[in-house]
Amino acid sequence: MMSILLRQRIQLPAAWRWKKRRDSFCCHCMTFSTISSNQDPVEIHKRKLFLWFSHLPKEEKQFGGLFSPETMHVDPLILERKDEERAGLLQSPYKTQTSSSHSLTVEQLFDPTDAWSEGRGLNVLLYGAVGTGKATIVRKLVLDWCAGNTMTHFKLLLPFTCEDLSQLTKAVSLRDLVGRKYLHLKNHPLLSGDRDHAKDVLFLFNGMEKMQLDFRIGSSELCSDPNEPLPPSVLIVNLLRKYLLPEASILMATRLSAVERIPQKYVSRYAQICGFNDPDRQRAYFTSRLLQSEEAAQNKEAQTLIELLYLHLQSESQLAAACFLPSYCWLTCATLHFLHFTTTQAPIRTLTGIYTSFFRLNFGGEVLGTRTGTSPSSQEHQSSLMRYVVLTVGKLAYDGVMNKRTSFSDKELEQWIGGKTKTDEELHQLAVFQTDVLDFFLAPCVKSGNHSSKELCEDNEKLYVFAVPALQEYLAALYIVLGENKSALQKLTSQVSVAIGQASEDVSALVNILSKFIPLRLFAIFNLLKLFPKLYEKISSYNKGKIARTMAVEMFRTEDSHNDDVLDQVEQSLLGVHGPQPQQFDDSKSFELYPIFMGGLLQYSNRVLLQQLDCNVQSTTVVQITRALRKHLVRELSKPQPPEELMDLLVLLYEFQNPRLTVEVLSSIKSICLTNVRMTSLKCFILSSVLSCASASYHLKELDLSSCLLTHNMLQMLAPAFRHAHSLNLQFNNLGPDSCILLKDLLLDPKTCISSLQLCDNPLLDSGVRILLEALPQNQSLIYLSLMHTGLGNSGALELAERLPQHTGLQELNVAYNAISEEAAVALVDACREHPTIHTLHLYFNPITDEGKQSLYGRGLTGNQGNNQQVKVLASVTEGSDISGGWHPILRVIQENASSWDHKRVKQQLKVFLQDLEWGREKQTSFWRRLHFRKVQKKVQATLQRLEKDSSSKTK
């Protein structure tokens, strides 16, 4: 990360230099020259360093709020390692808690040691594995020095990135090297070597593992003159030897595997970065990002999120073990911010994009280093570290996904990671990888007892799991998308095809000329060579089709149909499951994120980031997979899918970010039922984004969002999606009177085609219903309106009776369970009877007497002043001495809503229904009619018994 900062040192101050140059034209040139000449070069250096190191990658800016590196920094644990502990230098940071080493602060790194002598600076080696926070500490140290908060006894701090130094091929003196990187420090007296001026200088070399240092006298000549040109590696060696500027102090940051490259006699202090060793440090990190802005700090949801996360970390969960590494704390924060704080104003982000950015931050530009003394030509062909991760850890992850396993033994790790290494160079790369990177991905299983019996090994062998469960699915998906799961024959065929294709281009012209003189059989061979690449292209296309089929099959596995949607699963892996554990229908592990990551990796922005990691996904591969995926998805959607599976499909389409594919898949979807899916702001945004890809003429038969815990803010995000629905079901949510303003605007929108609106069990109250009714005069699309159990009351019912004549298209109205009296009910029945199109009115579960119900039934059947319009009034399961034709929908509504309604009130009403049925059955003379009454009685009794059973279980 530091290399990115230093590479931008020219770009960032460019605007500042241009502004200064522009101002100089408005002032006297002599005055500007005088001011510039009087400025202290060190102060200029501090100002520019602060600008360079204050710039952080764009991934860090996604948390919003008052973005500042100072407010978002939490110091990781730093342990001092003594000389006698050097045998344990390469241990995992998870084992540092048992060490006798004491902790250090950054300020204490350059405290005098026992081996320190007067007139010599200290050489401090700061090391740690990938993800422990080396780059963060270096950046914070530079910023604090520029602000005068730390290392104030050093007058000059000179940071260098070893990745840049390793690219220099020409010899250069130390002073010229400093002047080349920092022009304002050219020929600075502190670097002259005179007297002891260098004691005020601190050199900072970040990424020492990328320097090929050779401390042999025959390879690195001795030098004490800062003006003598030498290769950069020789300059660093002489600085460490204390031949060159012996008074200067040096801070080196490197990986674990490179610690042994620097001889012990040239290191004054070893300091190991061990990340966050306790939940309190982790909580401070999470708070600094998730509660960064003032609005977030006052947000109860954000504070609750922190508390749940902290409880999960204290429970010694697998996440707590992973969050020893600050990189995983960043991933956790980014994921939670994505899940809970997504807004319509924020830039488009995807879960796959977060994980891809996570790898770019940790592995961008990283390579597997070669051994000291290797030739420059071999160094130029160093393999990308991320590519090596895909070939090894990705292969392990893919095998686990295919076999439904999340834990692995030592033998399996040895088999999949480096099991086929042959050459010395490959063995060296494997050793470096195991030392620096392997612990970053795999950690000892914290709760092996929770794994299924299939994952337990004999003799209690130690098991390892991926630090974050979703990481296994991401790497497995990347392994597939990059085509690394090919068989040996397929890889050989690919290489032969490329070679033959190149050769055929070279000889095609010659063949065309000599075709008249070449025998026919020999000419056929040349044609076959030209045909082979095309044949391979067809085989390759078939393989891409298999990838698409795998995505579709994994998306709609029958055994996963009872699971929560993938976003809820991701959240549970981070926050834990609080309360009753969800019922498990299958012991095997589900990998529902795996196909979604496969789709997300095909997105263009993710492919750009992967290309920076030397993981190239070809555009032809994307086209072939996309074309085949559309066919498989359409085929799967021809079958009815559970709401959770449909939510997963929407997430896949959102992660893919391919509008054309989205439109083609949506064309096969007639209804979207997400009932009982716990909707969040993110899920609402995803649903709205996916449907926004469709044209204005695309309409769903039904959009069911009942029992989704919707709020007013979520409703605002969903407003664009509602325009595509004919039937909109918003029952059993938490929509209040303020939501009626948005619903009114929706009904007034000429682009809206809603014919059915169901708002049952929402606390709209009479004030909210009044707002909603204002849309009736101008809306002509609404046919069915359900206001059951919305707190309508008598005043709302009377208002509704007055407004009904203004809407001429309504056919059915449901105002059941609204505490409507008999007088208000009569007004509603009369208004419906005079309406030209209304044929059904629901009034059951209102405090109306038996005589009143019979009267309402009669009024609905009687025309008014020559109007033959009749209204079917559903006030009970009986109509006089006959069974109501609407008894079945009434009972169905009661069964669906009984769990959320007042049980005492529902049981009382069911008993009234039984009395009415018994009275009507006694009045019947026909045996078959009495038998029909008995059938309905049994249905009502079964509903009453089920409700009493649920009530008794809750009281226990």
Side-chain angles (χ1 to χ4, degrees), residues 511-519 523:
V511 169
N512 291 332
I513 296 173
L514 301 178
S515 59
K516 297 181 180 180
F517 308 101
I518 296 177
F523 183 69

Side-chain angles (χ1 to χ4, degrees), residues 36-50 52 142 145-147 151-152 154-158 182-191 197 200-201:
S36 299
S37 62
N38 292 334
Q39 287 182 337
D40 184 5
V42 176
E43 292 302 319
I44 298 176
H45 182 61
K46 287 184 177 181
R47 184 170 65 252
K48 291 191 174 184
L49 273 186
F50 190 85
W52 301 335
V142 174
W145 178 82
C146 293
M151 302 289 183
T152 54
F154 292 113
K155 295 181 181 179
L156 188 60
L157 173 61
L158 298 172
Y182 307 105
L183 182 61
H184 45 276
L185 296 178
K186 189 174 184 179
N187 299 324
H188 197 278
L190 290 179
L191 302 173
H197 293 329
D200 297 325
V201 178

Side-chain angles (χ1 to χ4, degrees), residues 92 94 249 450 459 525 540 547 594 603 707:
S92 166
Y94 295 104
S249 295
N450 287 351
D459 301 327
I525 295 177
S540 176
I547 294 177
Y594 167 60
Q603 185 204 356
S707 303

Side-chain angles (χ1 to χ4, degrees), residues 136-272:
T136 303
I137 287 181
V138 168
R139 180 174 64 246
K140 188 63 166 54
L141 185 152
V142 174
L143 291 175
D144 286 347
W145 178 82
C146 293
N149 297 328
T150 189
M151 302 289 183
T152 54
H153 54 284
F154 292 113
K155 295 181 181 179
L156 188 60
L157 173 61
L158 298 172
F160 289 93
T161 301
C162 293
E163 182 179 3
D164 292 339
L165 295 179
S166 64
Q167 302 300 319
L168 298 178
T169 56
K170 295 182 179 180
V172 63
S173 67
L174 179 62
R175 301 192 75 179
D176 288 341
L177 179 63
V178 173
R180 180 174 179 174
K181 294 291 182 181
Y182 307 105
L183 182 61
H184 45 276
L185 296 178
K186 189 174 184 179
N187 299 324
H188 197 278
L190 290 179
L191 302 173
S192 63
D194 297 338
R195 300 180 184 178
D196 60 347
H197 293 329
K199 66 181 177 60
D200 297 325
V201 178
L202 172 61
F203 288 94
L204 196 162
F205 296 105
N206 189 33
M208 285 290 286
E209 69 276 358
K210 295 174 182 173
M211 292 296 299
Q212 299 296 325
L213 302 181
D214 194 340
F215 287 85
R216 294 174 296 180
I217 298 295
S219 300
S220 300
E221 59 181 293
L222 299 178
C223 174
S224 60
D225 184 4
N227 297 305
E228 181 178 350
L230 291 171
S233 60
V234 178
L235 290 178
I236 295 178
V237 168
N238 280 282
L239 283 172
L240 293 174
R241 286 171 173 167
K242 297 304 178 185
Y243 275 87
L244 184 60
L245 300 184
E247 302 86 2
S249 295
I250 302 173
L251 176 62
M252 301 163 283
T254 188
R255 293 190 203 152
L256 283 167
S257 61
V259 173
E260 299 291 346
R261 295 184 185 179
I262 303 175
Q264 179 184 355
K265 61 181 178 180
Y266 298 134
V267 179
S268 309
R269 172 175 285 127
Y270 291 95
Q272 182 181 10

Side-chain angles (χ1 to χ4, degrees), residues 483-761:
E484 296 299 338
N485 64 321
K486 298 177 183 177
S487 64
L489 179 60
Q490 289 174 328
K491 293 181 179 179
L492 179 62
T493 306
S494 175
Q495 297 170 0
V496 171
S497 173
V498 173
I500 292 178
Q502 295 173 349
S504 63
E505 293 176 2
D506 297 334
V507 303
S508 59
L510 181 61
V511 169
N512 291 332
I513 296 173
L514 301 178
S515 59
K516 297 181 180 180
F517 308 101
I518 296 177
L520 184 60
R521 293 181 180 178
L522 186 59
F523 183 69
I525 295 177
F526 282 100
N527 285 334
L528 181 61
L529 293 178
K530 296 170 65 178
L531 178 64
F532 192 86
K534 297 181 180 180
L535 179 61
Y536 170 72
E537 183 179 352
K538 292 184 178 181
I539 298 175
S540 176
S541 178
Y542 174 75
N543 292 333
K544 303 303 185 296
K546 289 177 61 178
I547 294 177
R549 183 168 58 85
T550 300
M551 293 174 64
V553 170
E554 291 293 330
M555 275 292 301
F556 301 106
R557 293 174 69 241
T558 305
E559 53 266 36
D560 297 336
S561 60
H562 299 286
N563 296 342
D564 294 331
D565 61 83
V566 290
L567 295 180
D568 279 354
Q569 293 180 37
V570 172
E571 181 180 7
Q572 291 170 8
S573 68
L574 298 178
L575 301 180
V577 179
H578 301 273
Q581 296 291 322
Q583 184 179 359
Q584 296 291 333
F585 293 88
D586 189 4
D587 290 337
S588 63
K589 168 68 178 176
S590 62
F591 294 94
E592 297 182 73
L593 265 177
Y594 167 60
I596 292 176
F597 277 142
M598 290 174 67
L601 288 170
L602 300 179
Q603 185 204 356
Y604 176 75
S605 60
N606 287 325
R607 287 189 285 131
V608 171
L609 292 179
L610 288 173
Q611 191 172 10
Q612 299 174 17
L613 297 170
D614 195 26
C615 297
N616 299 320
V617 182
Q618 301 298 328
S619 298
T620 54
T621 300
V622 177
V623 172
Q624 291 170 352
I625 294 178
T626 304
R627 187 184 299 119
L629 179 62
R630 179 187 62 82
K631 298 178 182 178
H632 291 294
L633 288 180
V634 170
R635 185 182 301 116
E636 291 291 338
L637 288 173
S638 62
K639 314 168 189 175
Q641 300 294 338
E644 291 78 11
E645 296 295 312
L646 279 178
M647 188 68 239
D648 292 348
L649 172 65
L650 294 173
V651 175
L652 171 65
L653 296 176
Y654 174 77
E655 292 282 327
F656 215 122
Q657 291 290 306
N658 188 323
R660 183 175 179 180
L661 173 67
T662 301
V663 170
E664 292 175 345
V665 174
L666 285 177
S667 63
S668 63
I669 300 178
K670 305 305 178 185
S671 299
I672 294 180
C673 177
L674 299 178
T675 181
N676 293 318
V677 172
R678 186 182 67 90
M679 295 298 286
T680 62
S681 58
L682 173 61
K683 295 176 186 177
C684 294
F685 181 74
I686 289 175
L687 174 59
S688 183
S689 298
V690 170
L691 289 179
S692 66
C693 295
S695 63
S697 60
Y698 171 75
H699 293 112
L700 292 166
K701 182 179 179 181
E702 181 182 17
L703 178 58
D704 189 348
L705 296 173
S706 58
S707 303
C708 290
L709 303 179
L710 293 177
T711 62
H712 176 67
N713 293 333
M714 296 181 191
L715 211 63
Q716 289 179 317
M717 302 180 75
L718 288 169
F722 293 159
R723 296 188 179 96
H724 294 279
H726 281 298
S727 175
L728 181 59
N729 189 344
L730 298 175
Q731 297 182 120
F732 317 116
N733 287 294
N734 193 28
L735 306 179
D738 53 344
S739 300
C740 291
I741 300 175
L742 190 146
L743 293 173
K744 181 193 74 171
D745 296 338
L746 181 67
L747 293 176
L748 292 175
D749 190 342
K751 298 179 182 179
T752 300
C753 60
I754 295 177
S755 59
S756 173
L757 180 60
Q758 302 179 57
L759 298 171
C760 169
D761 264 87

Side-chain angles (χ1 to χ4, degrees), residues 760-761 788-789 817 845 893-894 897-903 906:
C760 169
D761 264 87
M788 180 172 60
H789 199 212
Y817 202 175
F845 268 41
V893 170
I894 294 175
N897 306 321
S899 60
S900 60
W901 287 353
D902 181 9
H903 284 193
V906 175

Side-chain angles (χ1 to χ4, degrees), residues 924-936:
Q924 302 300 321
T925 57
S926 170
F927 170 78
W928 298 109
R929 294 181 66 84
R930 290 170 64 90
L931 186 63
H932 186 45
F933 266 85
R934 186 61 181 167
K935 175 184 176 182
V936 178

